[in-house]
Amino acid sequence: METLKYLLLPFLCSAVLTPLVQVIAVKLEVYAEMNERTVHTRKIARIGGVSIYVAFLLCMAYFMKTDITINGILIGGSIMFFGGLVDDMVNLPPKVKLLIEALAAIVLMLFGQVSLDVIRLPFGITINMGFISALVTFVWIIGITNAVNLIDGLDGLSGGICTIILVVIACLSAIEGRMDIQLMSLVLAGATLGFLLFNWHPASIFMGDCG
């Protein structure tokens, strides 16, 4: 029951915020583009990531006492969010978007001291990144960001996949004794689930680049 509150509160916050964000998006005429990656044939709001972001920040502030690593994640994520929000509004050139993503990754790595040093695989296999850990971390952050962005064209796809991954991360974090990462993963999963109520087929809103 203690763990469920980390899911429930952000879920409720996001579920309340998403319709409000949808109204704002319609008034601002911020709609999802229709291209080869999408199947919708009508105008759909595309800044649903705002409700996820706000619900996540509010609940993180309520539940968690941060440290330098968590602050790095929040600041880097915020840079990514605001860059994506501007792109949702005005369609930034790809080079500018990549520059914003790179800045967010650098802030996370330098300020948050986050790096992918070791990859642990099944059967006890361990891969030590060594001197290329910084490069691998940098490419990983930007790659995952764009991977999530590219699948945000089908109803419930990106939000659903992200929620599943976040729950898995939360479970692995509990096994490793990283309660801070577990809490953060559950809060973000809850915020994403609240958004998914309006993103299931037929979707009335998409995450957008800010998501």
Side-chain angles (χ1 to χ4, degrees), residues 2 8 16 24 42 62 64 96 108-109 113 122 126 132-133 153 156:
E2 181 73 13
L8 185 58
V16 170
I24 294 172
R42 56 190 176 86
Y62 179 75
M64 195 169 199
V96 176
L108 173 60
M109 293 167 62
Q113 300 178 3
T126 300
I132 65 169
S133 62

Side-chain angles (χ1 to χ4, degrees), residues 119-161:
I119 297 178
R120 294 183 177 87
L121 300 175
F123 309 110
I125 300 173
T126 300
I127 302 175
N128 195 321
M129 294 294 105
F131 68 94
I132 65 169
S133 62
L135 177 61
V136 172
T137 305
F138 182 79
V139 173
W140 180 265
I141 293 169
I142 293 178
I144 290 297
T145 299
N146 285 285
V148 173
N149 190 29
L150 286 171
I151 61 174
D152 186 34
L154 296 175
D155 300 0
L157 181 60
S158 57
I161 289 176

Side-chain angles (χ1 to χ4, degrees), residues 2-31:
E2 181 73 13
T3 303
L4 284 178
K5 68 181 182 183
Y6 301 137
L7 275 170
L8 185 58
L9 185 58
F11 170 82
L12 294 174
C13 288
S14 183
V16 170
L17 288 169
T18 301
L20 300 177
V21 171
Q22 185 177 354
V23 170
I24 294 172
V26 171
K27 288 185 179 296
L28 295 176
E29 297 185 351
V30 183
Y31 299 113

